[in-house]
Amino acid sequence: MKKALITGITGQDGSYLAEFLLEKGYKVSGIVRRSSTETCERIEGIADQITLRQADLLDQLSLIEVIREEEPDEIYNLAAQSFVPTSWSQPVLTGEFTGLGVTKVLEGIRLVNPKIRMYQASSSEMFGKVQETPQTETTRFYPRSPYGVAKVYGHWITINYRESYDIYACSGILFNHESPRRGREFVTRKVTEAVAKIKFGLQDKVKLGNLTAKRDWGFAGDYVKAMWLMLQQDEPDDFVIATGKTHTVQYLVETAFSCVDLNWEDHVEFDKAFERPAEVDLLIGDCSKAKKKLGWEPEVNFEELIQMMVEADLKRLQKGGK
């Protein structure tokens, strides 16, 4: 039985990945930070099948101890301060978690067992002010937020350890991926939950920023399969994971409101407070390398994804908001 250790297991990607690996017959353990409040609702359904260990990306010794005791074959580093707007108000913390935290995981592998295979969650935000369209594995990075900058550091330190210490370490450059488990602060979930609340008469308006920004949105459940596939190859490599299709925030809004037969223009208000200091206008990925080498491609299209999210939020509200 293979063993996997997941940082960020309580997040959207971590929960989908844990379920996927359990189906593959893995023994799964996850790292959680010490907290006075529980935030494990995404993994409630598999809580009795996984092991949770307390450690912190800012605490090198705690990571080394967990890696030594769990003896994983694979480590998936999904933990980060991952909300771009927060990275502007907490840039130092974002750099420590999202950048230096990667180094601490790699150091743990190097010191405990260099044979462990590692997946690093890189991000399309590294492309920022895009230098070519679509973006590929060789597109030059131009991050436009502290989060994007920290992800670039995490990406390059992963390559550095791979080349310097012969560690099997891969980076998945994942474009935006969403699901009913997405955090409420992200625009897709903010919109789908607002649509559900408006449908039930619990609110009337939703405030948004730039409606013309374009993103390549996919389904998180599809993307975690790519993470696993990267660690099953003979040689480590980096891959763009994306749908290859882009949509504006306005189209996201239109699609979500159409799921409940409402006119979005009656309920959406522009609020400058939600604009970024430096906007990323267009992200669209070319995943042809992943299709060719991994045999991976997305299965859920954008409209299906948004309908899935709206329906999940409607059901959640009907059950009392859980």
Side-chain angles (χ1 to χ4, degrees):
M1 179 184 288
K2 275 190 175 182
K3 293 188 284 186
L5 176 64
I6 304 171
T7 73
I9 193 170
T10 61
Q12 170 189 253
D13 292 6
S15 63
Y16 278 111
L17 178 61
E19 291 172 357
F20 178 79
L21 293 176
L22 287 171
E23 291 173 1
K24 289 288 182 183
Y26 279 66
K27 178 184 177 183
V28 177
S29 56
I31 288 177
V32 294
R33 299 180 68 204
R34 168 72 179 88
S35 174
S36 59
T37 57
E38 293 293 331
T39 56
C40 298
E41 63 269 15
R42 294 185 181 95
I43 54 173
E44 284 178 352
I46 56 171
D48 60 342
Q49 302 175 61
I50 61 177
T51 302
L52 297 181
R53 296 295 307 272
Q54 286 189 2
D56 198 304
L57 286 187
L58 303 186
D59 185 350
Q60 181 75 78
L61 290 177
S62 69
L63 291 172
I64 290 173
E65 182 179 358
V66 170
I67 293 171
R68 182 179 290 128
E69 293 180 359
E70 291 297 320
E71 299 180 321
D73 299 290
E74 301 169 357
I75 292 179
Y76 296 84
N77 184 40
L78 310 184
Q81 190 302 99
S82 59
F83 188 46
V84 174
T86 296
S87 77
W88 290 106
S89 59
Q90 296 182 300
V92 175
L93 183 69
T94 299
E96 290 175 339
F97 272 117
T98 309
L100 289 177
V102 184
T103 311
K104 291 184 172 69
V105 175
L106 287 162
E107 269 293 279
I109 291 172
R110 184 181 72 85
L111 294 170
V112 177
N113 179 8
K115 298 300 182 183
I116 295 171
R117 296 191 171 196
M118 175 187 158
Y119 169 83
Q120 164 60 18
S122 288
S123 169
S124 59
E125 288 287 332
M126 299 189 303
F127 296 121
K129 189 176 181 180
V130 298
Q131 302 301 289
E132 66 175 351
T133 300
Q135 293 86 56
T136 71
E137 292 80 4
T138 59
T139 301
R140 186 164 69 88
F141 299 139
Y142 195 141
R144 297 266 281 174
S145 68
Y147 170 78
V149 173
K151 279 294 185 182
V152 170
Y153 174 92
H155 182 82
W156 278 111
I157 200 67
T158 300
I159 293 172
N160 188 263
Y161 270 67
R162 180 169 73 209
E163 296 178 348
S164 301
Y165 300 115
D166 196 28
I167 291 174
Y168 191 111
C170 299
S171 284
I173 307 174
L174 270 58
F175 281 63
N176 295 66
H177 46 290
E178 320 297 319
S179 76
R181 301 178 192 175
R182 192 54 144 156
R184 289 173 169 82
E185 68 272 24
F186 292 87
V187 67
T188 48
R189 182 69 195 289
K190 178 180 179 179
V191 168
T192 62
E193 186 176 55
V195 165
K197 287 183 175 180
I198 291 168
K199 180 66 175 178
F200 286 133
L202 299 176
Q203 71 181 61
D204 184 53
K205 302 288 184 180
V206 57
K207 295 182 178 181
L208 299 172
N210 182 9
L211 295 181
T212 63
K214 296 180 179 179
R215 293 291 184 272
D216 184 330
W217 279 297
F219 173 48
D222 288 341
Y223 285 36
V224 299
K225 297 175 186 176
M227 299 176 187
W228 175 76
L229 284 168
M230 288 181 209
L231 298 194
Q232 313 312 309
Q233 307 306 305
D234 293 334
E235 299 293 332
D237 205 350
D238 306 321
F239 294 88
V240 163
I241 304 300
T243 69
K245 298 179 181 178
T246 188
H247 304 285
T248 63
V249 175
Q250 180 172 318
Y251 184 68
L252 155 68
V253 171
E254 292 173 358
T255 304
F257 275 93
S258 69
C259 292
V260 293
D261 298 320
L262 290 174
N263 180 9
W264 70 274
E265 292 176 299
D266 294 334
H267 302 283
V268 175
E269 292 181 350
F270 171 76
D271 189 334
K272 191 173 179 60
F274 293 110
E275 285 193 316
R276 297 184 183 184
E279 183 59 81
V280 174
D281 297 310
L282 169 64
L283 291 174
I284 179 170
D286 178 354
C287 67
S288 55
K289 179 179 174 181
K291 288 182 179 180
K292 181 179 179 180
K293 291 193 173 184
L294 304 179
W296 178 89
E297 54 185 316
E299 298 177 14
V300 177
N301 68 37
F302 178 76
E303 290 77 15
E304 291 169 339
L305 169 64
I306 300 306
Q307 183 166 352
M308 177 198 309
M309 294 176 67
V310 170
E311 290 177 353
D313 279 320
L314 288 168
K315 290 179 181 178
R316 189 176 291 109
L317 289 174
Q318 286 176 324
K319 290 179 180 180
K322 291 185 180 180

